[in-house]
Amino acid sequence: MDPVFIQKHGTVSKEVAKAMAFGTEEKLKTSLVLVTIGLASLGKGKELKDVGTLCIGLVVGDTIYSQELHLASSERTHWIEKASAKALEYLYRHIC
């Protein structure tokens, strides 16, 4: 992915999630793609305000969707479980 695009929108952003989903769809020649980007805990160079952010990118057929969520959890593993569940719920809502 273009570093300028990431710098413009931020690593964890709806725009980057959409671009990842679209790029994966094109590369794999598939009609269904689900991607997630998130920041479960504070790491080096990360802003506290971004902790807990989850962005989901989804391609269903010819349509690209994205969503940004903020999930609270004091434990990284628990946050990842919540993020996975939210991503699957998002997929379910768009294909059923």
Side-chain angles (χ1 to χ4, degrees):
M1 183 169 296
D2 181 8
V4 174
F5 184 82
I6 293 171
Q7 186 175 8
K8 178 179 178 183
H9 296 287
T11 305
V12 180
S13 67
K14 288 172 46 173
E15 294 81 9
V16 170
K18 283 174 83 169
M20 283 177 55
F22 179 74
T24 302
E25 183 243 1
E26 286 209 323
K27 186 170 185 99
L28 298 179
K29 308 277 191 251
T30 185
S31 61
L32 182 63
V33 175
L34 177 67
V35 301
T36 61
I37 312 168
L39 184 58
S41 59
L42 193 58
K44 184 178 179 182
K46 302 298 179 189
E47 298 279 332
L48 183 58
K49 67 178 178 60
D50 295 332
V51 172
T53 302
L54 169 69
C55 292
I56 303 168
L58 175 64
V59 175
V60 179
D62 294 330
T63 308
I64 303 174
Y65 303 96
S66 67
Q67 181 179 26
E68 182 176 309
L69 302 167
H70 298 278
L71 307 175
S73 181
S74 59
E75 187 179 318
R76 180 180 175 80
T77 303
H78 186 244
W79 185 91
I80 292 169
E81 290 171 0
K82 287 170 65 173
S84 299
K86 289 294 184 184
L88 291 174
E89 287 173 18
Y90 191 69
L91 170 64
Y92 180 79
R93 283 197 317 265
H94 285 87
I95 63 172
C96 291

